[in-house]
Every structure is written in C-alpha cells, then in structure tokens.
Amino acid sequence: MYNTRKADPVPISGKDVLLVMQLALFDDAERFVKKTNELAEELEARVKREREWHPKALQECLSQGRP
C-alpha cells in the first residue's frame, strides 16, 4: 500500500492510509489482513490503469507517434 503512494497520480490519500493503519488497533486481525490485502490489490490495479491512460502517458504516445 505504501509503494502505490509513489505513483503519479496517487491512488490513495495519506489520510486514508493513516485511517487504515489505525483500524488495525480495533479490527479483528484476520479480517484486517484480508481486507488490507484486497485494498492493496485494488490500489495496484488503479496504478496500472492510470499508467496506461494517464494524460502524461498519452501525451508521450502522441508526441512519439506510437499507436
């Protein structure tokens, strides 16, 4: 989850990451791990999608003439 915050644009805010970490104190451990892993997978998918369709990537494709 932390590594996805390095992406541009950021798929999750710092406040939301902090909230997830604080939930670890109150939630059932097994449920927390399961849901955190699901969230991490979703964030990784968002980063991948954004890289494919991010305006910067599209601009590079257009300027370099790639399809």
Side-chain angles (χ1 to χ4, degrees):
M1 192 165 36
Y2 292 113
N3 286 336
T4 60
R5 296 217 3 99
K6 296 176 186 176
D8 180 32
V10 179
I12 188 170
S13 71
K15 285 182 180 181
D16 289 338
V17 171
L18 182 61
L19 178 63
V20 169
M21 293 301 115
Q22 288 175 342
L23 285 174
L25 301 172
F26 303 107
D27 201 3
D28 176 53
E30 289 180 23
R31 180 180 180 276
F32 175 77
V33 170
K34 179 183 174 192
K35 294 298 181 181
T36 304
N37 287 335
E38 288 176 13
L39 177 61
E41 290 172 5
E42 180 183 335
L43 293 174
E44 289 171 3
R46 274 191 206 173
V47 168
K48 184 179 178 185
R49 274 196 314 267
E50 287 296 323
R51 283 189 185 144
E52 292 171 357
W53 296 106
H54 192 269
K56 289 180 185 176
L58 288 175
Q59 185 178 14
E60 288 175 13
C61 287
L62 292 173
S63 66
Q64 295 176 5
R66 291 188 275 166

